[in-house]
Amino acid sequence: MDTLLPQAYLIGLVLLLGVAAVLVGRQIWRVRRDEVTLSRLERGGDGSGGSDDAASLYQLASVQLRKRLYGQAADNLKLALKQAQAGQDPAEALALIENALGFALAAQNNYKAAIRHYRSALEAKPDYPVALNNLAYALEKQINLEEARQTYLRVLELDSGNRTARKRLQRLERTLGTPAAPASGAN
């Protein structure tokens, strides 16, 4: 009985350290993968010193967004958008780029420009719940609360299980003092 407690303690400690090592290792692997991708894309896949197509610029900007390099990401997304428009890329591609550009601008507290890009993303792809969520959040930040509420409701029409929209809508309705939206779908 006296040896059971120290053994349980040691086993628990080893398990805790093992889980911590796995989590730290995964995080290091992710950061390293982003660094390698960032380096490759900044050099350019062909070694020319830069990315030359909208997809590569979008991928570079995505890594920059994950690394919270919002200004650089916005610049690359603007270039990607110009190239995608010139190359007549599909509407889904334009929507992705516009949404990411809006996100980069919102992260820099430029909500007015972000709203413009979210709306452009929705023109390209009207049933894009991520862009709708982002638009609603930016509208909240611009104190356009009723339009934000309507936008969250539209998200829930498209994706009734969207937890982000449901949570933000509940918070917004408490602020506005309006009745909660009907609960549809899973929480």
Side-chain angles (χ1 to χ4, degrees):
M1 184 73 168
D2 290 334
T3 62
L4 200 55
L5 185 61
Q7 286 175 346
Y9 174 75
L10 287 176
I11 290 171
L13 183 62
V14 167
L15 287 174
L16 181 65
L17 289 175
V19 168
V22 168
L23 292 175
V24 168
R26 283 181 51 195
Q27 186 63 28
I28 289 171
W29 182 73
R30 285 180 187 161
V31 169
R32 178 68 183 139
R33 184 187 63 206
D34 279 350
E35 290 293 331
V36 168
T37 303
L38 187 62
S39 175
R40 178 179 51 84
L41 290 169
E42 284 178 339
R43 276 193 327 268
D46 58 0
S48 66
S51 301
D52 58 352
D53 66 333
S56 295
L57 287 166
Y58 175 78
Q59 189 178 11
L60 173 61
S62 295
V63 173
Q64 291 170 329
L65 286 173
R66 283 194 301 272
K67 295 182 71 57
R68 295 188 171 115
L69 301 170
Y70 300 120
Q72 293 173 6
D75 293 341
N76 284 319
L77 286 165
K78 287 175 186 174
L79 288 173
L81 185 59
K82 285 180 186 175
Q83 290 182 5
Q85 289 169 335
Q88 296 181 347
D89 286 7
E92 287 85 15
L94 292 173
L96 287 172
I97 294 169
E98 290 278 11
N99 182 60
L101 181 53
F103 182 83
L105 293 168
Q108 298 175 73
N109 296 323
N110 187 351
Y111 295 108
K112 185 176 181 181
I115 289 170
R116 188 172 58 247
H117 287 286
Y118 293 142
R119 290 188 195 281
S120 294
L122 291 166
E123 286 175 18
K125 186 177 178 189
D127 59 343
Y128 189 12
V130 175
L132 282 167
N133 264 339
N134 290 341
L135 173 61
Y137 181 77
L139 289 167
E140 276 186 72
K141 290 296 189 177
Q142 287 287 299
I143 318 296
N144 194 342
L145 302 182
E146 185 54 37
E147 188 177 355
R149 179 181 173 277
Q150 294 301 321
T151 305
Y152 284 129
L153 288 171
R154 187 164 161 220
V155 172
L156 291 173
E157 286 174 11
L158 292 172
D159 180 11
S160 62
N162 191 309
R163 290 189 289 180
T164 301
R166 186 172 310 286
K167 190 169 76 173
R168 297 294 309 170
L169 180 62
Q170 287 173 348
R171 183 178 298 161
L172 189 57
E173 287 179 337
R174 278 194 306 265
T175 302
L176 290 171
T178 57
S184 60
N187 284 333

